[in-house]
Amino acid sequence: MEKEEVKQKIYALVEKSMGKKKLKSSDIQKTVSAEAGISRDEVKDALKDLIDDGKLIYTYFGGSFVEIPPKE
Amino acid sequence: MALPQRRTDIGPPHYKDFLPPVMLKNYGDWKHHEILNPGLMVHVANSGDKVWSIRVATPRLLSTDTIREFADLAEKYCGGYLRWTTRNNVEFLVSEEKNIEPLWKELVEKNHMMGGIGNRISNIVHTQGWIHCHSAATDASGIVKALMDDLADYFTTRETPNKVKLAVACCTNMCGAVHCSDIAIVAIHRKIPKIDHDKVKNMCEVPSTIASCPTGAISPDPARKSIKVNDEKCMYCGNCFTVCPPMDIADPEFDGVAIVAGGKVSNLRSNPKFSKLVIPYIKNNPPRWPEVTEAVRLILDAYIAGAKKHERVGEWIERIGWEKFFKVTDLPFTFQHIDDFTIARETFRTAATFKW
Amino acid sequence: MPRKYETPLLDELEKGPFPSFVTEIKKAAARNDMAADELGQLEKSYRERRGYWKHGGIVGVRGYGGGVIGRYSSLPEEFPSVANFHTIRINSVSGFFYTSKILKEMCDLWDKYGSGLTNMHGSTGDLILLGTSTENLEPIFAEFSSRGWDLGGSGSALRTPSCCIGPARCEWSNIDTLDINYNLTQEWQDEMHRPAFPYKFKFKTAGCAVDCIASIARADCSIIGTWKGTIAVNQDEVATYAKNGMNIKEEIVDMCPSGCMSYDGKELKINDEDCIRCMHCIAKMTKALKATGEKGATILIGSKAPFVIGSTLSWVIIPFIKMEPPYDEFKDLIRKMWEFWDEHGKNRERIGELIIRKGMREFLEFIGVEPQPQQIKEPRRDPFFFWTEADLQK
C-alpha cells in the first residue's frame, strides 16, 4: 500500500474518534495495520510523517495521545 | 538572526567527551577510595593515579549565574571538569593535589557548603512543589531548605550510624525515591476533589478518569455528562486530577505533609525496603515548616541514640520493632497507621510476640 | 526592567547556612521577566498555601511527543510573564558529567530564550530548563540540538535512562553503567521521542547492589551489576583495618546477611557459595575485598511510586545476564517485554502493574524465560493454581 494511502487511513481514524475517544499511537498502529493488512512499522512510519508535517500532533492528558491540532 | 538547523534523535552527547583525562585513562580500573573529610574523597586507580572529588551542596534549583560560578571554579582548579550527583550535589573533579586547598578555600569564601560524603546526611532528593508543579500539595524546596538549615551540621561534620537519606515529595505521585528513603516527607490532600462539571465534558475522558482511581471511588454521572466521586471511598491521592484537570484537589486549609521512615534502596546487609508511615499529617506552615523540622529531628535523634554502627534507620527500627519505635519517639499511633489499602493483610501482626 | 515583588515569606528562606533556592530565583529575577513573575507567583503560593500551575495540553517541538512539559499559570493576568512557562527536559550525559565550556554555552542559550532557572537535575535525571514561553520552544530546540543535545522523554514513552558513576570512578562497578546507559538511550531514540507505550518506562543502571542510582525503587527496568565468582581477600589489608580500629567481627562478620564469613582475629574467611553479594563487607573494607570472576547484571522489573496499586520495588526476572556491547541479548529481551506490554497494557498501566494483573507465568512465557527460585522470595502458599493442557501432558 502506498504511504499516502496509509496516511489517509490514519488521519481518517483519528478524525472519526475525535471527541469520542483519545487514541494512543499504539491504538492507531494496531487498528490500521489490522485493517489494511500491513505491518505496524509501515503505519508507524506514515504516522511519523503526519506528525512531522504537523497534520497530527501529540497531546498529553495524563498519557500521550495523537490528535488533530486545534484550529486557531 | 537565523536559527541553526535543528537535528532530531541524536541523543545525548557521549560521556567520554566530558570525563577528566585521569578518569578516562583509568576507566574501569579503580582500586579503592578513601573519605578524607566529609566533603572530600580520593579515588586511587591500579595505575597509582588519583582523582579527588570535592562535594558541594546545591538547592537543585540553580540560576545560570550560579552554574557559571561553578563552571569558573572548575576551569580554575579542575581543568573544567565537574559533575552532579544524584542527590543534587556538585562534585569538583580535581586531578592535581595542589589544587585541592585553594579550591576548598575559594568555595568557603563564596559561602558554599561542602560535605555529604560518608555516614551522614547528604542533600535531600525532592520534587518541584509550588515552584512549577500542577499537583503540588506543598512546596518541596521550602521544606528542604528549612530541614537542611536545621541539619547542616550533619552534612558538613557530624556523623550518623550510617547514611541517612532524606527526601521530599510534593504530592503522592512521588517523583523521586521518596517511598524508599530513611526519612521522607510526602505531601497529602485530605479532602475529595471539587469537580467543575462544565469543563469535564471537554477536557476529560471518562473511562481513563475512572481507571485512574485506586479505590474505585469515581463513577459516571450521566445526568451531567460528567463524573462523581464517592466520598466514602476516596483516599485523596489526586491521581484523577492529573488525568482530568477540572477535578481540583488542592485545599490550602487541609493539605499538608505526612512523614514516612525506614526505607532504603541499597541491598547492603538487608534487602531494600519501603518507608512506612510514622506521622500521618502535619499542617503546611510556610515559609519554614517548623513542625516538620522538629519531627524529623525527633526521629533522627532517636535513631542516633538507638542504632548500632552501620544500621540504617529501617534496620534499626526492624531490630527494635515498630511498637518500640513508637515508644521511644513518643509519636502517637493512630488509625491512619494501620494499612487499609492494597497490602493490608501483609502488615498485620500474625504472632503473639511483641514488646510492651 | 523585570517586575519587582515584595517577598517577605520567601525572604525567610534566604536565611540559614544551606544554599537558598530563593536566592537563585532572585538572581535570575533581577534580569529576567519570567523569573520575576515566577518569584511573585511563588510568594503568593506561600501566602495562600496552594499551587497555581496548570498542566497538560499540546505544547512540544515539531515531530516529538515528549521533552516539553506544558505548564501554565492559573493566574496569567496577575503574572503575565509565566502565563505559559513550560519545562524543557534535556537528556543529560551518563553520570551527569559536564565541562565548564558546555555549561557556559548552555547558560548563554538559556538566558537568551528562557527564565535562566534550571534544575540540576530532575528526578529522572534530565537537565531541566525551568520555564519558557511557547514561541521559544522551537528556537531552543534548534539551538540545543545543533550543538549536540537532544530532548529527554516525557509522557507515555521511554524516559531518559540514567546510571550511577560506575567505572568512571568507582572500584565496585561490575558493568559499564555509563556505556549501557548511553547505548540504550541511542538505541531507543524513537521510543523516547514518539510516545507509543501504554505509559512511561524507565531504565536505571547500577554497577553493584549498593545501587547509588536507586534503580530498584525507581525504574521499570533495573539493571544491577553483579558477579559469579569469589570475593578475593587481601589479608594484609584486613589486618590494617583491624589495626585501625575496625571491629571486624561485629561490623563485618556479624552483619553479613548470609552468615558466610568468619574471622579468628587473623584471617577473614568467606564461604563464597553462600554469599548473596549484598556488598556490605566490600563497601566497608574496600581495600581488602574485591569481587572476582564472571561479571554481569541482574535484571529486575517493575518498581514505581504508589499510583495506582501502591509502591512497588523491582523484582528479579533474569538472575544473571552478561552485559557486553552491543547488548543484543538484553535488547531482544526488552523488546519482548515491550511487545507483551503493548499487547495487554491499558492506558497508564506500568509494565510492573501489568505483570501483577496478568501473572508472572504469562509474562515469563511470553518473553521466554524459565521459572527460577531466584525470582521469588518464597513459593505460593495457597493451593490455587493453573494447569495448562501442556502441563498435564508432562
Side-chain angles (χ1 to χ4, degrees), chain B residues 138-181:
Chain B
T138 195
D139 187 45
S141 301
I143 296 178
V144 167
K145 166 70 175 150
L147 275 172
M148 286 307 287
D149 279 343
D150 187 50
L151 301 169
D153 288 352
Y154 285 104
F155 183 85
T156 55
T157 47
R158 296 177 75 175
E159 280 207 16
T160 46
N162 200 335
K163 290 178 197 302
V164 180
K165 297 192 178 183
L166 306 179
V168 177
C170 58
C171 82
T172 52
N173 193 48
M174 287 195 191
C175 309
V178 164
H179 56 305
C180 297
S181 301

Side-chain angles (χ1 to χ4, degrees), chain B residues 1 3-15 18-19 23 27-28 30-34 41 43 51 53 57-68 71-72 75 80-84 86 88 91 93 113 123 126 128 130-134 139 141-142 145 148-149 152 172-177 179-180 208 212 214 237 239 241-243 245 248 250 252 265-269 272 274 283-289 309-310 341-342 346, chain C residues 9 12-13 15-19 21 24 27 31 38 42 45-46 48-51 53 55 62 64 71 85 87 91-93 95-100 102-104 107-108 111-113 116-123 130 138-139 141-143 145-146 148-150 165 167-169 171-172 176 178-179 182 185-186 189 193-194 209-210 212-213 216-218 251 255 257 278-280 284 286-287 290 304-313 348 381:
Chain B
M1 206 176 68
L3 284 170
Q5 180 61 41
R6 78 208 284 273
R7 293 191 286 165
T8 60
D9 302 294
I10 58 170
H14 199 280
Y15 54 94
F18 298 85
L19 296 180
M23 290 170 81
Y27 193 87
W30 297 95
K31 195 164 165 233
H32 60 80
H33 74 278
E34 216 172 311
M41 59 180 163
H43 285 78
V51 64
S53 304
T58 87
R60 187 173 85 128
L61 191 159
L62 292 175
S63 64
T64 47
D65 312 60
T66 302
I67 296 173
R68 283 196 187 92
D72 283 337
E75 228 155 71
Y81 294 100
L82 71 169
R83 72 178 286 266
W84 263 258
T86 51
N88 317 319
E91 282 180 350
L93 305 169
M113 201 167 143
N123 208 337
H126 63 281
Q128 212 62 275
W130 290 332
I131 286 174
H132 210 209
C133 185
H134 65 281
D139 187 45
S141 301
K145 166 70 175 150
M148 286 307 287
D149 279 343
T172 52
N173 193 48
M174 287 195 191
C175 309
H179 56 305
C180 297
S208 35
S212 74
C237 74
N239 201 29
F241 170 68
T242 289
V243 181
D248 187 12
V265 296
S266 85
N267 289 262
L268 297 159
R269 299 167 305 282
F274 294 110
K283 196 176 161 65
N284 269 328
N285 191 2
R288 294 200 72 102
W289 285 267
K309 192 171 182 185
H310 304 314
F341 192 46
T342 50
E346 302 289 323
Chain C
L9 292 171
E12 288 298 311
L13 289 168
K15 298 172 184 166
F18 193 72
F21 70 101
E24 294 300 310
K27 281 183 194 171
R31 55 184 155 74
E38 158 72 50
L42 187 61
S45 282
Y46 268 66
E48 306 296 333
R49 302 180 187 201
R50 65 160 299 155
W53 295 104
H55 69 293
R62 185 164 42 83
Y64 279 16
R71 202 64 86 205
F85 195 58
T87 298
N91 194 332
S92 55
V93 175
F96 304 131
F97 285 96
Y98 295 94
T99 59
S100 54
I102 205 82
L103 282 177
K104 287 178 181 179
C107 288
D108 291 345
D111 279 338
K112 185 172 168 190
Y113 292 105
L117 298 173
T118 71
N119 280 154
M120 303 286 281
H121 297 80
S123 293
L130 202 63
E138 281 296 336
F141 182 58
E143 297 272 20
S145 67
S146 66
W149 295 91
D150 206 335
I165 193 167
R169 197 187 62 188
E171 67 268 27
W172 301 331
D176 191 343
L178 293 95
D179 188 62
Y182 178 78
T185 309
Q186 291 293 352
Q189 284 291 297
H193 294 137
R194 293 170 196 83
V210 176
C212 292
I213 195 74
I216 206 160
R218 302 197 295 156
E251 293 182 44
M255 287 194 143
C278 82
M279 291 296 293
H280 172 71
K284 298 303 166 202
T286 188
K287 289 180 178 173
K290 201 167 182 54
K304 54 179 295 300
F307 289 151
V308 177
I309 55 168
S311 322
T312 51
L313 285 159
R348 278 173 74 80
R381 305 163 206 174

